[in-house]
């Protein structure tokens, strides 16, 4: 039996309709931005394999970090025990975020980083004997697929089977110049109830909603309102973290700091599953020196896996290197040029960019949404041209690893332009 047949026989893939005869592309190896199929075809990974890869595939320094760590310590229980990779990584994450007094709580992925943030926020009020249960999020939000992270996400077809089981969350429209006053009034009305524990948001860019972007000044004002009302701000930087928006973290574009920060995806440079929730000391103090029953009783078997932490620390070092920062600036510049080049084309409904993210909303007879039916044509067209793009409906976006060269990125743009100029 071929690998494709075995894949069909034995595997259920994520976000994939179970249509009989569906064939996965089997990848045999990868290097830099290139994925190689078992037939020897080369495909540019222009979306960093679901936004996780920062420095390219099979990176020498990351391979070395992983191998060396595997020879020392592959894993150890993280309650009562600790290890150097987790300790050094936590120190570096806090320092680079600019959270000088705080703590890092490790978990496994983006959804669990969000679950941990929500639970810590809620329990911090419980521990003060002043329970608050209300959460506020943005319409269109995506924070993951576990129940808590689904609950703070937009109510849509993805979570429709579970609507009745999701806890109640108040949703605000994403702010823009035209609706900002109304969004502030809606926020104020929720805060007036005095039961808002936290406001959770994807800072500056809503990823899964179609790379929807909004202004730092708007977010900053909303965060200030929440703080004034005694609520907490949870920045879900699972996608925006590690340079995607041009700064190391999107939160650094606001003057107000969040109380909790969720990290994953780029955290390990795309090598290992790892989640981290950064917690300000002002929140942590509600768990410190408290009675046993006020402990945060949460953990995962692979919390702070040493292999993942070691590779994450090396990935962060690489990210901070001047050459990587120069690549981020160059990609940002190329994005801006391409935006100018295509914005007047007939098929372009809207085009936007922030840092290394570029999104092009295509004009067709349907509304912009993940369910816009052009998605499948786009995906197949790009794949046939040797470029992995996974459009969110009619929104084509690029989010490449930072090692992509000028020519490789230009090649991606040429393929996109060829499609929209047809
Ligand atoms: C902003 C955001 N939060 C959370 C998640 C969930 O992360 P994971 O898929 O690792 O559970 C995602 C995934 O796309 C995301 O974009």
């Amino acid at each position: 039996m071929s690998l494709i047949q075995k894949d069909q026989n034995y595997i259920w893939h994520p976000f994939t309709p179970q249509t009989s005869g569906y064939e996965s592309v089997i990848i045999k190896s990868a290097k830099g931005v290139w994925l190689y199929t078992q037939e020897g075809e080369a495909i540019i990974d222009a979306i960093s394999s679901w936004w996780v890869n920062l420095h390219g595939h099979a990176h020498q320094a990351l391979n070395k970090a992983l191998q060396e760590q595997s020879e020392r310590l592959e894993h150890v229980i993280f309650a009562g025990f600790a290890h150097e990779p987790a300790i050094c990584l936590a120190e570096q994450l806090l320092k680079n975020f600019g959270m000088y007094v705080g703590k890092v709580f490790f978990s496994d992925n983006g959804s669990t980083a969000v679950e941990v943030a929500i639970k810590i926020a809620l329990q911090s009020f419980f521990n003060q004997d002043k329970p608050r249960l209300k959460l506020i999020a943005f319409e269109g939000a995506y924070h993951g697929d576990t129940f808590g992270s689904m609950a703070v996400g937009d109510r849509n077809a993805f979570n429709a089977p579970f609507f009745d089981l999701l806890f109640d969350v108040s949703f605000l429209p994403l702010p823009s110049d035209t609706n900002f006053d109304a969004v502030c009034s809606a926020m104020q009305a929720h805060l007036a109830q005095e039961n808002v524990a936290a406001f959770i948001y994807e800072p500056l860019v809503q990823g899964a909603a179609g790379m929807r972007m909004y202004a730092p000044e708007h977010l900053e004002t909303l965060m200030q309102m929440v703080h004034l009302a005694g609520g907490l701000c949870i920045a879900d930087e699972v996608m925006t973290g590690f340079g995607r928006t041009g700064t190391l973290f999107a939160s650094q574009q606001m003057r107000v700091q969040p109380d909790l920060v969720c990290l994953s995806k780029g955290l390990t440079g795309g090598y290992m599953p790892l989640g981290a929730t950064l917690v300000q000391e002002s929140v942590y103090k509600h768990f410190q020196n408290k009675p046993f029953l006020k402990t945060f009783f949460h953990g995962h078997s692979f919390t702070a896996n040493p292999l993942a932490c070691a590779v994450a620390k090396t990935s962060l070092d690489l990210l901070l290197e001047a050459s990587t920062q120069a690549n981020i600036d160059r990609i940002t510049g190329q994005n801006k040029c391409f935006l100018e080049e295509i914005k007047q084309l007939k098929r372009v409904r809207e085009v936007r960019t922030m840092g290394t993210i570029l999104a092009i909303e295509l004009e067709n007879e349907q509304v912009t949404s993940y369910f816009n039916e052009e998605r499948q044509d786009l995906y197949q067209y790009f794949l046939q041209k040797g470029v992995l793009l996974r459009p969110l409906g009619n929104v084509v976006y690029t989010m490449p690893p930072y090692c992509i060269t000028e020519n490789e990125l230009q090649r991606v743009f040429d393929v996109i332009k060829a499609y929209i100029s047809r």
Side-chain angles (χ1 to χ4, degrees):
M1 213 193 309
S2 72
L3 271 183
I4 289 189
Q5 283 166 329
K6 287 190 185 182
D7 178 62
Q8 288 169 335
N9 276 4
Y10 305 128
I11 296 186
W12 187 343
H13 288 270
F15 287 101
T16 307
Q18 297 303 291
T19 322
S20 18
Y22 174 84
E23 285 188 12
S24 304
V25 180
I26 311 272
I27 297 299
K28 192 159 181 197
S29 65
K31 187 77 193 162
V33 291
W34 295 96
L35 305 172
Y36 298 103
T37 68
Q38 55 176 3
E39 288 78 28
E41 268 174 75
I43 302 169
I44 298 184
D45 185 354
I47 54 161
S48 302
S49 279
W50 255 341
W51 321 343
V52 299
N53 193 298
L54 297 188
H55 309 293
H57 295 271
H59 191 284
Q60 220 177 3
L62 299 178
N63 289 353
K64 185 161 171 272
L66 195 53
Q67 195 196 335
E68 286 179 358
Q69 185 56 43
S70 71
E71 282 160 13
R72 273 197 297 272
L73 171 69
E74 83 304 336
H75 189 62
V76 66
I77 179 173
F78 207 61
F81 291 80
H83 45 78
E84 187 181 344
I87 296 166
C88 292
L89 175 61
E91 181 186 23
Q92 287 307 313
L93 287 175
L94 290 169
K95 181 171 149 230
N96 282 290
F97 192 85
M99 199 185 273
Y100 294 100
V101 271
K103 293 281 184 292
V104 177
F105 194 100
F106 286 107
S107 60
D108 304 343
N109 56 62
S111 304
T112 54
V114 168
E115 291 287 342
V116 165
I118 294 172
K119 286 177 68 176
I120 289 179
L122 294 171
Q123 192 177 333
S124 73
F125 289 99
F126 173 90
N127 281 7
Q128 295 171 69
D129 300 318
K130 293 180 198 148
R132 288 186 177 206
L133 293 175
K134 180 58 113 188
L135 292 160
I136 297 183
F138 281 131
E139 289 168 8
Y142 178 75
H143 295 290
D145 289 338
T146 52
F147 265 86
S149 60
M150 265 198 298
V152 288
D154 196 47
R155 299 289 184 273
N156 57 34
F158 287 147
N159 46 43
F162 318 109
F163 276 178
D164 292 346
L165 295 172
L166 301 179
F167 56 75
D168 189 31
V169 172
S170 298
F171 291 95
L172 299 176
L174 203 65
S176 66
D177 287 341
T178 45
N179 73 2
F180 189 53
D181 289 346
V183 174
C184 287
S185 305
M187 176 65 103
Q188 200 48 55
H190 292 305
L191 294 172
Q193 309 286 311
E194 294 182 357
N195 62 349
V196 172
F199 165 46
I200 181 167
Y201 52 88
E202 295 156 86
L204 307 185
V205 188
Q206 280 190 324
M211 303 298 154
R212 293 167 73 203
M213 298 172 187
Y214 62 107
E217 310 79 62
H218 290 162
L219 180 54
E220 192 173 284
T221 304
L222 294 169
M223 291 172 71
Q224 277 163 339
M225 291 172 74
V226 173
H227 279 162
L228 257 175
L232 302 175
C233 292
I234 305 176
D236 177 353
E237 294 240 23
V238 168
M239 186 280 278
T240 53
F242 304 102
R244 293 299 184 194
T245 65
T247 43
L248 197 49
F249 298 98
S251 294
Q252 291 167 335
Q253 297 185 39
M254 272 73 63
R255 282 164 301 181
V256 188
Q257 276 216 339
D259 305 282
L260 295 132
V261 183
C262 313
L263 302 175
S264 188
K265 290 204 184 270
L267 175 56
T268 63
Y271 261 59
M272 301 284 291
L274 184 67
T277 306
L278 314 192
V279 188
Q280 294 277 13
E281 197 72 11
S282 51
V283 178
Y284 174 73
K285 72 174 191 217
H286 300 301
F287 295 81
Q288 198 175 21
N289 301 323
K290 297 285 173 212
F292 178 69
L293 291 180
K294 291 197 166 169
T295 304
F296 185 53
F297 290 111
H298 184 110
H300 301 277
S301 315
F302 283 97
T303 294
N305 173 259
L307 300 171
C309 290
V311 83
K313 166 73 173 55
T314 308
S315 171
L316 187 56
D317 291 343
L318 284 173
L319 180 59
L320 296 172
E321 279 181 10
S323 57
T324 312
Q325 293 301 313
N327 280 351
I328 290 176
D329 291 346
R330 194 242 315 140
I331 296 167
T332 303
Q334 277 187 269
N335 282 349
K336 286 184 184 150
C337 288
F338 189 53
L339 178 149
E340 288 302 323
E341 190 182 326
I342 60 166
K343 69 178 185 199
Q344 304 296 356
L345 295 180
K346 223 168 82 210
R347 287 288 330 268
V348 176
R349 187 174 283 171
E350 196 187 304
V351 52
R352 46 190 178 265
T353 184
M354 189 180 292
T356 65
I357 307 168
L358 173 79
I360 307 153
E361 235 175 272
L362 293 186
E363 188 64 56
N364 62 23
E365 61 290 348
Q366 294 173 12
V367 293
T368 294
S369 120
Y370 183 88
F371 301 101
N372 188 299
E373 284 162 18
E374 194 167 354
R375 174 180 184 281
Q376 203 49 26
D377 293 345
L378 286 160
Y379 177 75
Q380 289 305 342
Y381 175 91
F382 296 136
L383 208 51
Q384 274 158 17
K385 302 283 179 197
V387 180
L388 169 58
L389 290 167
R390 219 183 124 85
L392 297 154
N394 57 322
V395 180
V396 179
Y397 70 90
T398 54
M399 198 193 290
Y402 305 142
C403 66
I404 195 165
T405 63
E406 186 173 346
N407 285 343
E408 287 164 341
L409 186 55
Q410 191 53 51
R411 181 167 166 165
V412 174
F413 291 161
D414 289 344
V415 169
I416 296 175
K417 193 168 175 197
Y419 180 93
I420 52 188
S421 311
R422 287 188 314 171

